[in-house]
Amino acid sequence: MPTNFTVVPVEAQGEERDPAERDARRQQQQQQEEEEEEDNGERGSTGDGIARESSPFINNAEMDRGNKYEGKNMALFEEEMDSNPMVSSLLNKLANYTNLTQGVVEHEADEDTKRKEVKVPRMGTFIGVYLPCLQNILGVILFLRLTWIVGTAGVLESFIIVFMCCACTMLTAISMSAIATNGVVPAGGSYYMISRSLGPEFGGAVGLCFYLGTTFAGAMYILGTIEILLTYISPSAAIFKAEDGGEETEAMLNNMRVYGTCIIILMAVVVFVGVKYVNKLALVFLACVILSIIAIYAGVIKTAFDPPDFPICLLGNRTLSKRSFDVCAKFTESNNETKTTTLWRLFCNSSLHNATCDDYFSLNNVTEIQGIPGIMSGVLIDNLWSAYSEKGSVVEKKNQPSVSGSEDIKIGGRPYVFTDIMTYFTMLVGIYFPSVTGIMAGSNRSGDLKDAQKSIPTGTILAISTTSFIYLSCIVLFGACIEGVILRDKFGEAVNGNLVVGTLAWPSPWVIVIGSFFSTCGAGLQSLTGAPRLLQAIARDGIVPFIQVFGHGKANGEPTWALLLTAGICEIGILIASLDSVAPILSMFFLMCYMFVNLACAVQTLLRTPNWRPRFKYYHWTLSFLGMSLCLALMFICSWYYALVAMLIAGCIYKYIEYRGAEKEWGDGIRGLSLNAARYALLRVEDGPPHTKNWRPQLLVLLNLDCEQLVKHPRLLSFTSQLKAGKGLTIVGSVLQGTYLDKCTETQKAEENVKALMGVEKTKGFCQIVVSPSFRDGISHLIQSAGLGGMKHNTVLMAWPQSWKRTENHFSWKNFVDTVRETTAAQQALLVAKNIDLFPTNQERFTEGNIDVWWIVHDGGMLMLLPFLLRQHKVWRKCKMRIFTVAQMDDNSIQMKKDLQMFLYHLRLNAEVEVVEMFENDISAFTYEKTLMMEQRSQMLKQMQLSKNEREREAQLIHDRNTASHSTPAVKASVAASVPEKVQMTWTKEKFVAEKHKNKDTNVSGFKDIFNMKPNQSNVRRMHTAVKLNGVVLNKSQHAQLVLLNMPGPPKNRKGDENYMEFLEVLTEGLDRVLLVRGSGREVITIYS
């Protein structure tokens, strides 16, 4: 219900009495608002800097510009109104919203294309859906092949074929109705429905299959048109003539190719010149179809009391073709003289009575029976059962007396009616199925309907019900009215070359011939009109890159390039030339399309997605599943090899879109299915930790970003992809220092940069950027909370902080050591890559070299497992694995080597084993001096840090005092209470000099203590181990491609953290590529199967 608002500007209530002043102020205000609106439009975000989702109704500057809300009673929401419309304006837009017409970009396809104004749709259910579906479903197969299918398969099996196909389309129509009424469906029909329900991969694959099906349907209709023209209207128009009886089929196929090419060029020109002419002729073609069907029913009724006279000539039980003779007899009486007929001369070597004749001709009589005995004749009983035959066999009448002649006589040149192809049940299904396609015609026109959500289900289901009744009744009526041999006579040779169904029609066979000719012409034109638009819709969606050129066309939107491609593909069907061979091809593509429509409905129903709210309520997932199963069964019933080829084509397109296509998010059901499957799997994985056999490193990779939010060490991701090879979980994390509100834009930029690098390095995983007030806390949050449920990381990978000695580096040694402690506390393994920039890229290949493992402490087998995983990748594949272990004074090194070899044998690992003896000896002067230097440096840093902290603290206290002096009395009191007594002083010159000398004396005495100090014995021992072990490792592994070392743990006493960094530096000194490994405390490799 419309509501009237009276808006009173706040300024008008007191200050501005002068109208001129008020107008000037209002004009200025309006100008400012417009500038702000433009500014917000450019930024595409609200005042808080957060981008909003683009939509036809939200964030639409074109529609909002004219009705900017001027009142101030909604000032609280003025920031929101920059991007979110008022409810009143939203409802107004919704009420006036219309779809785009067929052949124009749909409302999600291209953000840069402005919506075109379209007239309000006018068509209702009958004109908009029912009649187009009727016209598309009833067609060439009904007139040219249905009688032949009834005669070959029998009434019962034909009924089964038709019922299966009609049930398939009815179930598909129910699913389609549910999808079509679940929101607005723009032009694109089935492609749009499938792509938005099952995602761009399925949508693109099935859309292209539907396009190919529609294109081959055009070829089939054109072939049907030529068959009617050359067989029933004007046989003399044939270019290629058959000299011998056996060459008729080949001559006919060549005629099809020549005429088909000419007609397809003509039709393409008509479509190119203007689709409006095709649409105007559509009603004429539909009238032809309806008149033809009425003529058939009228003919059936007439046969009950006055059957038409169409005699058939039989020789024994064999049907004779009347194209070569006119009198159905061996002799005729003329002037009391018996003369031989033309038929005699066709079977005998002369016209004389004593001529040598065909053995079968001599032994059997020539009889004439009525081809259409009528509905009351009881011929239905004879036509109930099938009569399949081999290619080239004679059409014979059942239960007719016959004497077989010599088998060695050739019958090829005789005037019999022969079968042109081998017939069997499954082949007939493939030929018949195209006659029930066309159910999408209504949904394709959804943009032109008054109420699409009501018209599409009603019109489509009514059209399928009508056509199913027509087909099923025709099967029974054909079987009840027409003689079996006529039904099996595909081209009507026994009835003087008449169209078989035409012989039944009233008032004349020509009604059917002319009607079917125009209807097949019209159907061909409709296919050539619809297929290019479907291809254009797919191309403009941008999901299949190599067909994007077909999205362009004429200035008015007509798809010129798509029309050329369609005509080219159609020509392939024309060159096949046989209607019976083309029909199964398009059956495959249509069946695949219908199968996925059913799958889309079933998936959406089972997932119960919040957006799944169809207005059409008479659907169920079991019906959709049954329809999908029936479609799949019919595909393989028709032709298993065609079905496999169609699936292969669809599969290739699917993988191509997945690999190269543009990423689209359409809220499709497959994503919902994936989420459900992921949730189910996560809940299953949550049950407990993985068994040792299933353990693999699930990595959390900690990256450093520079001030431009670019990754500092890209090789860390290269190493990740080499270690993981796309298996298991990888989370790539990083920390930005600050607050999220301030760093929101930088976070998005950082995430984009990291994801782009992950794509380049082929690292399959997830990206997680955390904003935290301190870098240290951010790392801690990632280690604790990255991952979900059972899909959590168990290993942390990070780069060694090369510049840890520099105090300004935010990722200082303090953060590093705390990270080591936290991974240990979280029972996670830790990998630290030193000299990460020297590690190989994914494109490099090591042709030789070693991966050396220095196994000092047993950490659960991580050191053994990592080289094995690395050698799966091409970079490290040719490297050999060597394992070194250290023997102490009391160890038996020979026995250790044997035990280690046996252990590796049971682990199924191939590696060289070496035991290195490292005996106790005196601590060298070098070690003592290095330890002393390390401790002096640490003490000096502490003194510097302390003096710096004192200066900062004093400055802060003075600042607090000054702030308190300008605050309210209550605040002053609280601040005064919190400030210590020593700060309540005035800085005189004497005090300042005394304080300065005091600090100086303290610093001097502190530095004297540093130079007089002696090193801690514990640190000396640790440094001795590091120096000694480094020497041994350098001796054996200086030229190794990668060295893996046990990483010693940090000291329990936190005062020695900086010394810990020095120990690790000394331990790995002189090595190019080092991976320090710290286990998680659990076994990760097992000898058991």
Side-chain angles (χ1 to χ4, degrees), residues 783 794-796 816-830 1047-1050 1052 1060 1077-1082:
I783 290 172
N794 54 30
T795 306
V796 177
F816 177 81
V817 178
D818 283 342
T819 304
V820 175
R821 284 198 175 99
E822 287 201 346
T823 53
T824 306
Q827 295 185 332
Q828 293 172 5
L830 177 65
M1047 183 178 181
K1052 293 179 181 177
Y1060 172 68
V1077 181
R1078 186 160 174 76
S1080 60
R1082 60 162 293 170

Side-chain angles (χ1 to χ4, degrees), residues 604-645:
Q604 297 277 34
T605 309
L606 288 170
L607 288 178
R608 295 188 181 91
T609 48
N611 191 49
W612 181 246
R613 305 185 298 274
R615 287 196 174 277
F616 180 77
K617 300 297 181 186
Y618 306 102
Y619 69 93
H620 195 265
W621 70 266
T622 50
L623 293 176
S624 301
F625 189 77
L626 182 63
M628 184 181 72
S629 306
L630 194 54
C631 288
L632 187 64
L634 283 172
M635 281 177 73
F636 283 93
I637 286 171
C638 293
S639 171
W640 64 268
Y641 45 89
Y642 277 166
L644 291 177
V645 170

